[in-house]
Amino acid sequence: MKKVIPLLAIVMTVILLAGCSLQPPAWAKSKKSANAGEIKIGLSVSTLNNPFFVSLKDGVVKEAKKLNIEVIVVDAQNDSAKQSNDVDDLIQQGVDALLINPTDSAAISAAVQSANTLDIPVVTLDRSADKGDVKALVASDNVKGGKMAAEYIVKELGKDAKVIELQGVPGASATRERGKGFHDIADKELDVVASQAADFDRTKGLTVMENLLQGNPDVQAVFAHNDEMALGAIEAIQSSGKDIPVIGFDGNEDALNSIKDGKLTATVAQQPELIGQMAVDAARDVLQGKTVEKSIPAPLKLVTKENQ
């Protein structure tokens, strides 16, 4: 028995040493690199099949290049399960910080919490996460933008104008916030005759608008939670032979061109490249031990043909 005890001690020591080596080499390396100023950031985008998020990604990449920061970009393709897996992969690749543009604010929470347990700071862009420690949300004031859209409709068409609302992806914070801002004004000043989700998608915006037009032939205006749905709605309206003003949200290139062409009436314009740049700056500051604001706003502007 006296010989067994030392042998057990040796075995336990080997196991403990092996356990210490279970941490992925990439992860250990990234922690060391971050301290040395060589930072690796993971960017998870909800979809790159949308000009707004392409611009957001471009802003991240440009700012990171300027600061000599490595960026790994992944596209969730509007699939919340894929996005969670993508974030797990980024963690395994040894990123020092995560920039996440959530597909669904609730669904991404578990991935954020996983990053929290490994002390990987998370910065969200355009949309928030419902749970987990997010160091900063870099976004436009979506509530304010929704109010701006409703106020513009009231100003142009008067009180009690009949309006259709095209909502974004159910569960996304941008959908909730833009809708809240819009209804803060619309519920008092306008007549919202229909409100339906079209998932921030142009094709769905077209299809949903075609159906809503049939049931609401006397509609006077449309507010879409993003430009892609607004542009789809315009196609449906043109096919019906009607002339109905449409207000979007984002200010992407297609929307601005549509305003120039006299098709889209207005858009609440964000600055996606700026949001991307600001998110990189926030992540760098967090990694350097600086304090950042929990909410970092990017300016908004209501763009019409007159003020373009």
Side-chain angles (χ1 to χ4, degrees), residues 91-102:
I91 290 172
Q92 289 302 314
Q93 291 182 62
V95 296
D96 299 296
L98 285 164
L99 305 184
I100 303 177
N101 161 237

Side-chain angles (χ1 to χ4, degrees), residues 132-150:
D133 177 23
V134 173
K135 297 300 182 184
L137 164 65
V138 184
S140 303
D141 187 334
N142 285 310
V143 174
K144 181 180 179 181
K147 288 181 180 178
M148 289 167 67

